[in-house]
Amino acid sequence: MSAASSPIIDTQVFGELQNNTGADFVIELVDTFLDEAPQLLAQMRSARAAADADSFRRAAHSLKSNGNTFGALAFAAQARSLELAVLAQVEEGALAALEEAFGQAAARLRELCHG
């Protein structure tokens, strides 16, 4: 399955997380992620502007890990790509694409958690 045709959230991964940790706890985790991710995205932008590769990679790593945890696999793959990228070669469009992918994942996670 290509990234373009993959679901925004892999419901099998999300369901396994709910089964393993409990649906109420997953809601808390998702809500925390939805609060913190915009700050991490902003940190990536600031780090890029300041040429702070370590801060950029840490933020991308956190987003990647959280994305994988919740089944936002396409978002996580984009974050991983940025985590591994040479900061000087990261273009504005890559950050905009990551932010767009986050927006899609966030909307779907809200739907899964809060109906």
Side-chain angles (χ1 to χ4, degrees), residues 2-101:
S2 72
S5 64
S6 65
I8 294 170
I9 301 297
D10 183 319
T11 54
Q12 182 176 353
V13 172
F14 189 81
E16 288 173 8
L17 180 64
Q18 286 180 312
N19 289 337
N20 292 334
T21 63
D24 290 340
F25 187 58
V26 170
I27 290 170
E28 288 180 44
L29 291 174
V30 166
D31 287 345
T32 299
F33 170 64
L34 296 178
D35 287 343
E36 293 176 356
Q39 297 166 22
L40 291 168
L41 290 163
Q43 180 182 335
M44 289 178 72
R45 284 195 174 280
S46 296
R48 179 177 173 262
D52 182 348
D54 288 338
S55 181
F56 185 88
R57 274 194 297 275
R58 279 193 303 273
H61 177 82
S62 293
L63 290 169
K64 172 197 73 179
S65 297
N66 284 315
N68 281 327
T69 296
F70 298 120
L73 304 182
F75 167 74
Q78 286 178 284
R80 180 180 188 274
S81 178
L82 289 170
E83 177 187 15
L84 299 175
V86 175
L87 182 58
Q89 296 174 355
V90 172
E91 295 183 13
E92 171 61 29
L95 288 174
L98 184 65
E99 290 168 337
E100 181 179 333

